């Protein structure tokens, strides 16, 4: 018995499959092309010559069935390449194309990144960059398109008749030149006179043309072009990580090869924009967001800010229209702040307008610092800290953190705190009539009786807002330019204004600390008003207990600001050093005590200002609920089986829940006691 080896036949059409073509080259197979460029079969197809590719396939199968060559038929799902534009099935063909040898170009580009001449951010993409260039293949730059840079190759023929007879005018003889005149000179010097030249009809790959962009737009190949001398090399390239090889690497290779210099020193790669669920946008999913529609609804600045700050470098962005809407609200906040400032400048003289344009608080050595109130010194110092933070973020290309810092500061510190606090000096000294609403046109607010103080505050408003607009401008260029042009300024455009800077002494740490304490006092009053359901517009009395003498002096000076922000009655506010003094100063009828922090306490005489019985009932209900919750938690902790079986981590979590419930219960009991004391005092 002799066993016969099994024989398997594999079809390797080296002329019609890229992988089979590579196999054929390795083993020496003949490359046979059976297809014309119009999709019909040529003479190499034998009996099927002249048929359309699809017709030929159907006929071939029927012929195989008729000849009894078909064993069985099964359906397979395969990946069929199709044209992106027309949707036609793409047929791989072997054809003559122009290639660029890449290894000599890739080596300097790899070295530029390895030596640090070019930095890729985030750094993890350096591995991808190196992988592409270390395994690079020769680049086919021929494209059969109507538009593009025509390949600078001229085929050389002995006569016009020979040129007309050649397929697409091609010849084995050719020259590469910058233009037709140079091509003729090269051909004549090599093959003599009387020649006919035909330029290659193919155009260069779009990525080839794009790779020339950093210097071709500046006048290259004219090495003496002024723009090329001034602006090349460039500095930072910002683009998507998906074209790191297709565009970025090619710009680097061509820049080094054709100019001898790296086209930029930093490559900042952003992620792809996806829908709010993280899916890639596609027509089939119906989740494509049209940027023009978004701009029409929310504004260019809102979309730009969202995209620029919505994620970290290299990470994809899940674009939520809710976030775009939130950033549109941010632009509205800036706009309203600008309107408020302009309202304050409505009656200033031309001389003061010019002074405001030159307002400078960037150094505490400036004489203008002497006239600043606490809130003025606080906002200027806080602004200078913001400048440092945003500048540092920009220098390391952390646009997300820079944008979020600007959003938080502009909305919080500037709009919610300083703009409101500034009204204490801008408006009437009769603070009981001041409205704290956001509308600068609100009635009931007279012009300040302290013109010097109001003038200083106007200068601070303009200085701070001007610097804020400069910081925000890279993210929101349109609204910031519009506001800047309307306010006092120096220069013709915000685009050319200097980036904000300040002296090291222009941050007053004591002002920052003291104003933070003032904010805590205001929050304490606001929280108490909310908890006890006081009417929003109703002003109340207060006793402020401040143990620190320096802070107590500051608080005393800032009573108008505190009253304005917390809606207190100025004539019924007192500042004392001890609890005993507070008890003596408090009006009869009992007070609610609010411990702001160590050394800072509030006494608010709220008797008769809220429904005591309703509040007692609410607190009793809360107490019962928390007691029940705490009882359940303690029941588990007191159960030996639970402690024995549960993990240490879970037991620790349950104990934390018990501590939290106990804290909430203690807070409710303390408040119950306060309300009961208020009730007892009011009944005496």
């Amino acid at each position: 018995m002799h066993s016969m080896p099994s024989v398997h036949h594999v079809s390797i059409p080296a002329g019609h499959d890229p992988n089979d073509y590579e196999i054929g080259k390795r083993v020496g197979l003949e490359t046979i092309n059976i297809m014309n460029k119009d999709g019909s079969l040529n003479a190499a197809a034998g009996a099927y010559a002249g048929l359309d590719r699809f017709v030929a396939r159907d006929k071939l199968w029927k012929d195989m069935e008729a000849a009894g060559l078909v064993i069985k038929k099964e359906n397979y799902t395969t990946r069929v390449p199709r044209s992106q534009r027309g949707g036609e099935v793409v047929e791989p063909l072997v054809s003559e194309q122009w290639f660029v040898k890449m290894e000599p170009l890739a080596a300097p580009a790899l070295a530029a990144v390895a030596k640090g001449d070019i930095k890729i951010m985030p750094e993890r993409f350096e591995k991808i960059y190196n992988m592409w260039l270390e395994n690079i293949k020769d680049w086919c730059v021929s494209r059969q398109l109507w538009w593009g840079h025509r390949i600078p190759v001229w085929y050389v023929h002995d006569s016009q008749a020979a040129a007309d007879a050649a397929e697409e005018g091609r010849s084995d003889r050719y020259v590469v030149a910058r233009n037709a005149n140079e091509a003729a000179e090269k051909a004549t010097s090599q093959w003599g006179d009387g020649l006919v030249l035909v330029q290659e009809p193919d155009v260069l790959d779009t990525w080839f043309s794009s790779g020339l962009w950093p210097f071709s737009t500046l006048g290259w190949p004219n090495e003496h072009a002024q723009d090329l001398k001034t602006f090349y090399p460039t500095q930072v390239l910002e683009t998507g990580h998906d074209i790191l090889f297709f565009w970025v690497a090619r710009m680097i290779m061509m820049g080094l090869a054709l100019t001898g210099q790296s086209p930029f020193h930093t490559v900042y790669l952003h992620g792809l924009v996806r829908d709010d669920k993280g899916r890639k946008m596609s027509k089939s999913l119906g989740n494509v967001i049209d940027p023009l529609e978004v701009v029409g609804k929310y504004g260019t600045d809102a979309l730009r800010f969202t995209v620029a700050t919505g994620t970290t470098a290299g990470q994809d962005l899940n674009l939520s229209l809710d976030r775009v809407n939130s950033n549109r609200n941010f632009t509205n906040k800036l706009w309203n702040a600008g309107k408020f400032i302009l309202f304050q400048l409505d009656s200033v003289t031309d001389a003061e307008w010019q002074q405001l344009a030159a307002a400078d608080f960037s150094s505490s050595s400036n004489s203008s610092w002497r006239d600043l109130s606490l809130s003025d010194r606080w906002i200027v110092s806080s602004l200078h800290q913001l400048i440092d933070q945003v500048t540092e973020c920009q220098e390391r290309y952390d646009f997300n953190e820079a944008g979020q810092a600007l959003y938080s500061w502009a909305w919080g510190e500037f709009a919610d705190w300083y703009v409101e606090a500034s009204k204490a000096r801008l408006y009437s000294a009769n603070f009981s009539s001041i409205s704290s609403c956001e509308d600068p046109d609100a009635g009931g607010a007279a012009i300040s009786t302290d013109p010097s103080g109001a003038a200083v505050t106007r200068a601070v408003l303009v200085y701070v807002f001007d610097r804020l607009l400069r910081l925000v401008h890279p993210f929101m260029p349109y609204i910031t330019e519009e506001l800047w042009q309307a306010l006092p300024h120096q220069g013709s455009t915000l685009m050319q204004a200097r980036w904000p800077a300040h002296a090291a002494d222009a941050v007053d740490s004591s002002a920052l600390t003291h104003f933070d304490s003032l904010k805590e006092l205001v929050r304490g009053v606001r929280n108490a008003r909310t908890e006890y359901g006081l009417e929003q517009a109703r002003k109340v009395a207060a006793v402020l207990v401040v143990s620190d003498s320096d802070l107590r002096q500051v608080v005393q000076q800032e009573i108008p600001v505190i009253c304005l922000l917390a809606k207190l009655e100025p004539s019924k506010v007192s500042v004392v050093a001890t609890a005993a003094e507070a008890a003596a100063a408090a009006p009869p009828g009992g007070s609610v005590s609010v411990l702001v922090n160590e050394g800072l306490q509030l006494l608010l005489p709220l008797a008769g200002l809220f429904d005591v019985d309703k509040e007692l009932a609410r607190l009793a209900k809360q107490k019962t609920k928390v007691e029940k919750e705490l009882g359940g938690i303690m029941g588990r902790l007191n159960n030996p089986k639970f402690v024995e079986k549960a993990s240490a981590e879970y037991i620790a979590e349950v104990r934390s829940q018990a501590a939290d419930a106990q804290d909430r219960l203690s807070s409710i009991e303390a408040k119950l006691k306060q309300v009961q004391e208020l009730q007892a005092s009011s009944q005496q």
Side-chain angles (χ1 to χ4, degrees):
M1 298 280 299
H2 297 281
S3 61
M4 297 295 292
S6 61
V7 179
H8 297 273
H9 296 277
V10 179
S11 171
I12 303 179
H16 294 279
D17 183 273
N19 296 322
D20 291 344
Y21 176 74
E22 294 296 331
I23 295 173
K25 285 202 303 182
R26 289 199 301 270
V27 301
L29 292 179
E30 181 183 359
T31 301
I32 302 174
N33 174 31
I34 65 168
M35 192 172 292
N36 298 315
K37 290 186 177 180
D38 63 358
S40 63
L41 302 192
N42 60 28
Y48 305 97
L51 295 178
D52 177 80
R53 52 182 170 159
F54 298 115
V55 175
R57 284 176 180 137
D58 289 339
K59 188 175 188 309
L60 174 62
W61 182 255
K62 290 176 182 178
D63 291 347
M64 291 175 65
E65 288 181 321
L69 299 176
V70 175
I71 299 174
K72 64 177 180 178
K73 180 167 64 174
E74 294 181 4
N75 291 326
Y76 285 90
T77 300
T78 59
R79 300 185 63 159
V80 178
R82 290 184 177 271
S83 168
Q84 182 183 16
R85 295 178 180 175
E88 298 88 354
V89 174
V90 175
E91 303 286 353
L93 296 177
V94 174
S95 60
E96 192 175 69
Q97 306 286 331
W98 285 96
F99 286 78
V100 174
K101 192 169 184 62
M102 297 305 295
E103 285 188 9
L105 297 176
L110 282 166
V113 172
K115 292 187 298 183
D117 295 340
I118 298 175
K119 182 178 182 181
I120 298 176
M121 300 182 62
E123 290 185 7
R124 66 179 184 273
F125 285 99
E126 285 189 13
K127 293 182 179 179
I128 298 174
Y129 174 87
N130 291 337
M131 181 272 293
W132 276 105
L133 295 192
E134 289 168 356
N135 299 281
I136 201 165
K137 296 181 179 180
D138 291 342
W139 179 11
C140 175
V141 294
S142 292
R143 293 296 180 270
Q144 292 73 46
L145 300 172
W146 285 108
W147 304 106
H149 288 152
R150 202 166 172 184
I151 292 177
V153 169
W154 280 261
Y155 296 105
V156 180
H157 301 274
D158 291 328
S159 65
Q160 186 62 50
D164 294 339
E167 184 179 358
E168 295 186 345
R170 290 188 169 92
S171 168
D172 292 336
R173 296 183 297 173
Y174 60 85
V175 293
V176 179
R178 294 177 183 269
N179 51 55
N181 291 335
E182 183 178 310
E185 292 176 4
K186 286 187 174 182
T188 299
S189 65
Q190 190 168 354
W191 292 291
D193 297 325
L195 301 173
V196 174
L197 272 62
V198 178
Q199 188 175 357
E200 167 64 54
D202 287 359
V203 298
L204 291 166
D205 178 7
T206 300
W207 292 116
F208 188 100
S209 300
S210 300
L212 305 174
W213 178 83
F215 44 90
S216 64
T217 55
L218 300 176
W220 181 91
N222 179 8
E223 297 179 354
H224 302 292
Q226 188 59 46
D227 284 351
L228 188 66
K229 290 181 177 180
T230 303
F231 299 111
Y232 190 85
T234 64
Q235 295 172 314
V236 179
L237 171 73
E238 184 273 335
T239 188
H241 63 69
D242 55 325
I243 53 175
L244 175 60
F245 173 72
F246 297 108
W247 189 34
V248 178
R250 277 143 178 185
M251 282 191 285
I252 294 172
M253 288 187 284
M254 291 189 183
L256 290 169
L258 298 176
T259 71
Q261 294 178 290
S262 300
F264 28 71
H265 60 65
T266 301
V267 178
Y268 178 89
L269 299 173
H270 63 69
L272 306 181
V273 179
R274 300 180 178 273
D275 71 7
D276 57 353
K277 297 179 182 178
R279 301 174 300 177
K280 190 173 182 179
M281 294 185 191
S282 69
K283 292 181 180 179
S284 60
L285 290 175
N287 62 344
V288 176
I289 298 176
D290 187 338
L292 293 180
E293 292 181 2
V294 176
V295 166
K297 185 174 182 180
Y298 301 101
T300 303
D301 285 319
L303 178 59
R304 180 185 174 100
F305 189 83
T306 302
V307 173
T309 66
T311 186
T312 56
Q315 297 296 321
D316 290 350
L317 169 67
N318 297 346
L319 182 59
S320 166
L321 292 182
D322 289 339
R323 188 185 301 175
V324 179
N325 184 58
S326 175
N327 290 330
R328 191 267 302 273
N329 295 339
F330 179 44
T331 66
N332 290 343
K333 197 72 173 179
L334 291 174
W335 187 262
N336 288 334
K339 283 177 60 179
F340 171 80
I341 297 172
L342 281 172
F343 177 78
Q344 308 311 315
L345 308 183
D346 188 52
S347 301
V348 302
T349 63
D350 291 342
E352 184 179 350
W353 187 276
Q354 296 302 318
Q355 291 172 352
L356 290 170
D360 183 10
F361 298 95
S362 60
S363 173
S364 64
S365 61
N366 294 350
S367 59
S368 53
W369 267 76
R370 293 195 302 267
D371 302 322
L372 298 185
S373 66
L374 171 65
S375 54
D376 293 337
R377 284 183 285 115
W378 166 75
I379 196 62
V380 169
S381 299
S382 181
L383 168 71
H384 293 162
Q385 288 184 326
L386 176 72
I387 291 172
D388 291 342
Q389 181 184 1
V390 173
T391 301
E392 193 270 334
C393 289
Q394 295 278 33
E395 288 175 348
R396 56 183 168 87
Y397 307 106
D398 191 343
F399 306 121
N400 173 59
E401 184 178 333
Q404 295 308 313
L406 288 167
Y407 182 98
S408 175
W409 191 91
W411 200 293
E413 265 67 3
F414 182 68
D416 288 353
W417 285 102
Y418 181 69
V419 167
E420 295 302 316
S422 69
K423 296 174 183 178
R425 297 185 84 180
L426 293 171
Y427 295 158
S428 171
N430 180 17
F431 297 107
S432 62
S433 67
I434 294 179
S435 169
S436 180
C437 68
E438 195 169 282
D439 182 4
D441 297 320
I447 299 300
S448 173
T449 56
D450 177 15
S452 61
V456 171
T457 298
R458 286 194 293 269
V460 172
L461 277 168
V462 170
Y463 170 79
V464 171
F465 198 57
D466 174 276
R467 270 53 179 183
L468 176 60
L469 292 178
R470 298 186 195 203
L471 295 174
V472 177
H473 185 68
F475 299 101
M476 294 181 164
Y478 298 103
I479 190 171
T480 51
E481 184 75 56
E482 187 78 13
L483 289 168
W484 190 81
Q485 293 289 348
L487 292 164
H489 63 270
Q490 293 181 324
S492 59
T493 173
L494 179 55
M495 288 187 293
Q496 296 179 332
R498 283 186 172 275
W499 185 255
H502 65 88
D505 62 356
V507 176
D508 187 336
S509 57
S510 65
L512 292 169
T513 301
H514 288 156
F515 197 84
D516 282 345
S517 296
L518 184 149
K519 288 164 66 176
E520 290 182 38
L521 277 172
V522 172
R523 288 194 188 102
V525 176
R526 289 175 175 175
N527 291 340
R529 294 175 64 97
T530 301
E531 287 180 15
Y532 290 98
L534 267 63
E535 296 176 10
Q536 184 177 3
R538 186 162 193 168
K539 292 179 170 56
V540 298
V543 179
L544 313 181
V545 185
V546 186
S547 59
D548 181 81
S549 59
D550 291 338
L551 179 58
R552 186 165 61 253
Q553 183 179 1
V554 169
V555 169
Q556 187 68 58
Q557 293 171 346
E558 296 298 319
I559 286 296
V561 173
I562 296 172
C563 291
L564 184 63
L565 297 177
K567 290 189 174 66
L568 299 178
E569 185 64 55
S571 61
K572 297 180 180 179
V573 174
S574 56
V575 182
V576 298
T578 64
E581 292 179 86
S591 300
V592 170
S593 176
V594 178
L595 183 62
V596 177
N597 59 36
E598 186 176 355
L600 203 58
Q601 185 178 358
L602 289 166
L603 288 181
L604 301 174
L606 301 183
L609 300 181
F610 66 96
D611 190 330
V612 175
D613 293 334
K614 184 177 180 180
E615 182 65 13
L616 287 173
R618 186 183 70 84
L619 291 172
K621 185 177 180 180
Q622 277 190 348
K623 180 182 178 183
T624 301
K625 181 180 179 181
V626 176
E627 284 177 336
K628 183 178 179 181
E629 178 186 343
L630 181 60
I633 297 172
M634 295 307 298
R636 280 187 289 168
L637 290 174
N638 293 329
N639 186 340
K641 291 184 178 180
F642 170 80
V643 177
E644 180 182 343
K645 294 181 179 180
S647 65
E649 293 80 5
Y650 185 59
I651 292 174
E653 180 183 343
V654 174
R655 284 175 176 163
S656 176
Q657 293 173 358
D660 177 65
Q662 185 61 61
D663 289 342
R664 284 185 283 128
L665 181 61
S666 299
S667 176
I668 293 171
E669 288 175 341
K671 192 172 179 183
L672 262 172
K673 182 179 179 182
Q674 279 197 345
V675 176
Q676 288 167 349
E677 290 175 350
L678 276 175
Q679 185 182 45
S681 299
S682 63
Q683 292 174 350
Q684 291 178 355

